Amino acid sequence: MLLNLHYQPHDDMNEKKHIVVLTGAGISAESGVVTFRDIGGLWHIYNPMELASINGFRRNREAALDFYNKRRAQLATVEPNHAHKVLAALENDYRVSIITQNVDDLHERAGSTDVLHLHGELSKVTGMNNPNDRRCITTKPLNEPIVIGDKAADGSQMRPFVVMFGEPVPNITRAHNIVEQADVFVVIGTSLTVYPAADLINAVPYNTPCFIIDPNEIDAATDLGFTPFKDTACRGIDRFVELLNEL
Ligand code: OAD
C-alpha cells in the first residue's frame, strides 16, 4: 500500500537526495530471522565466542559450520518484508545506499541495488586461509551445507563468507565514505553495540536529518540527537517515508 505513496523527492538541479541507511538484525526480524541480543536471540542460545569467532572456529570447525549451515538453510525459507521492500521502492525517487550488518540477502531480494555488507553474506563461501581474496569467494546454494573437506579455490577449508569476531571489517572504510555523503541518514534495527559498525553514526555530516527505527530506545543514537521512531521496522518505515516528504 505504502509503495503507491507519492514521494516528493529533492530534485533541485536534477540531483536526487541521498538517503543512507544502516541496518541490523531488527530489519529482518519480521521476516522470521532472529536477532542476536533480544530475548530468545541467537546470542542467548549460542555462545558467539565458540561459534562466531575466528578462534572458536579454528577450535571446533564442525560445530561452527553446523551453526552457519543452520542459518544458511533458514535463510532459504524466509522472504523480504515490507521494510526491505519500501527501501527498494525509494530508489524510484531517491539515491538510496544501504549499509547492512546483516549476512542475509533480503535487501537484495527486495530489489535494493546499492547494498554494502559489513559482516559478509551467508549466500557466499570462501577459504580459511585467504577469506577476503576475491578468487576464493563464490556463491553456494543456501540449502547445501558446507562440510569438512570442502575446499575453496586456494585449497584451504571452505568456510562461510562472514566476518567473525576477531577478524577485520574490510568494508568499513567504504561505509564511512558513504555515510559522509548522506543527505538523510536512517538506522533500522540495530542495537549499535558492535564496532566498528556502531561508530558509523558519528560519521554523519553536521546538520543531516538522522532517524532511528527500533522498538527499543537506542541511547547511542538518541544521545546524538537522532529522531527515534520507537516502532518495528515495518511500521516505522512508513512513518519515516511520511516524514521524508516534509524534509
Ligand atoms: P542485535 O540483536 O544486537 O540488535 C537487534 C536490534 O533490533 C535491537 O535494537 C532490537 O530492539 C531491534 N529489533 C528487534 N525487533 C525489531 C523489529 N521488528 N523491527 C526493528 N527493530 C527490531 O543485532 P545487530 O545490532 O544487528 O555480527 O547486531 C550487530 C552484530 O552483532 C551482527 O551483525 C552480528 C552480531 O554479533 C557478527 O556476527 C560479526
Side-chain angles (χ1 to χ4, degrees):
M1 191 182 312
L2 175 91
L3 302 176
N4 295 327
L5 269 182
H6 177 63
Y7 301 127
Q8 292 168 355
H10 161 94
D11 58 2
D12 298 354
M13 293 147 64
N14 284 333
E15 267 191 25
K16 286 181 171 179
K17 213 174 215 179
H18 189 190
I19 304 175
V20 177
V21 190
L22 173 65
T23 65
I27 195 170
S28 298
E30 287 157 282
S31 290
V33 181
V34 286
T35 63
F36 297 94
R37 296 174 182 81
D38 289 303
I39 293 163
L42 285 180
W43 296 159
H44 291 267
I45 302 166
Y46 300 103
N47 180 347
M49 289 308 132
E50 285 305 314
L51 301 174
S53 76
I54 189 61
N55 287 338
F57 197 92
R58 289 198 183 106
R59 276 195 300 273
N60 191 345
R61 292 178 181 191
E62 206 145 340
L65 284 179
D66 184 54
F67 170 69
Y68 284 105
N69 284 333
K70 284 189 178 127
R71 291 177 67 195
R72 281 164 48 79
Q74 201 257 344
L75 179 55
T77 69
V78 300
E79 299 289 341
N81 63 43
H82 180 67
H84 297 108
K85 289 176 192 168
V86 170
L87 289 177
L90 282 174
E91 288 189 22
N92 293 330
D93 295 314
Y94 296 90
R95 181 175 162 212
V96 182
S97 298
I98 296 177
I99 301 166
T100 187
Q101 296 164 84
N102 297 346
V103 291
D104 67 51
D105 57 357
L106 297 179
H107 285 301
E108 289 90 338
R109 283 199 244 158
S112 286
T113 59
D114 182 7
V115 183
L116 181 69
H117 285 268
L118 290 178
H119 294 161
E121 294 166 74
L122 276 179
S123 57
K124 295 182 179 168
V125 293
T126 186
M128 286 294 286
N129 291 357
N130 302 286
N132 293 308
D133 187 320
R134 285 178 181 278
R135 292 166 298 183
C136 294
I137 302 166
T138 53
T139 55
K140 185 172 175 74
L142 287 169
N143 42 27
E144 273 180 23
I146 309 164
V147 296
I148 304 287
D150 283 348
K151 299 267 193 276
D154 64 355
S156 68
Q157 169 63 44
M158 187 182 282
R159 55 166 271 187
F161 178 58
V162 296
V163 172
M164 298 188 195
F165 288 106
E167 294 189 304
V169 177
N171 281 338
I172 195 66
T173 306
R174 273 179 69 195
H176 264 273
N177 292 340
I178 294 166
V179 172
E180 283 169 3
Q181 295 165 23
D183 295 319
V184 179
F185 185 62
V186 57
V187 175
I188 308 176
T190 169
S191 60
L192 291 174
T193 49
V194 173
Y195 286 79
D199 193 41
L200 288 169
I201 60 171
N202 293 304
V204 188
Y206 176 65
N207 263 350
T208 304
C210 291
F211 305 88
I212 180 156
I213 301 171
D214 198 295
N216 288 306
E217 173 109 20
I218 306 297
D219 292 340
T222 40
D223 288 354
L224 284 181
F226 282 46
T227 302
F229 295 106
K230 279 186 76 179
D231 218 332
T232 68
C234 290
R235 283 196 303 258
I237 196 73
D238 288 351
R239 295 172 59 195
F240 167 71
V241 170
E242 271 174 34
L243 224 148
L244 253 185
N245 290 332
E246 291 162 22
L247 294 178

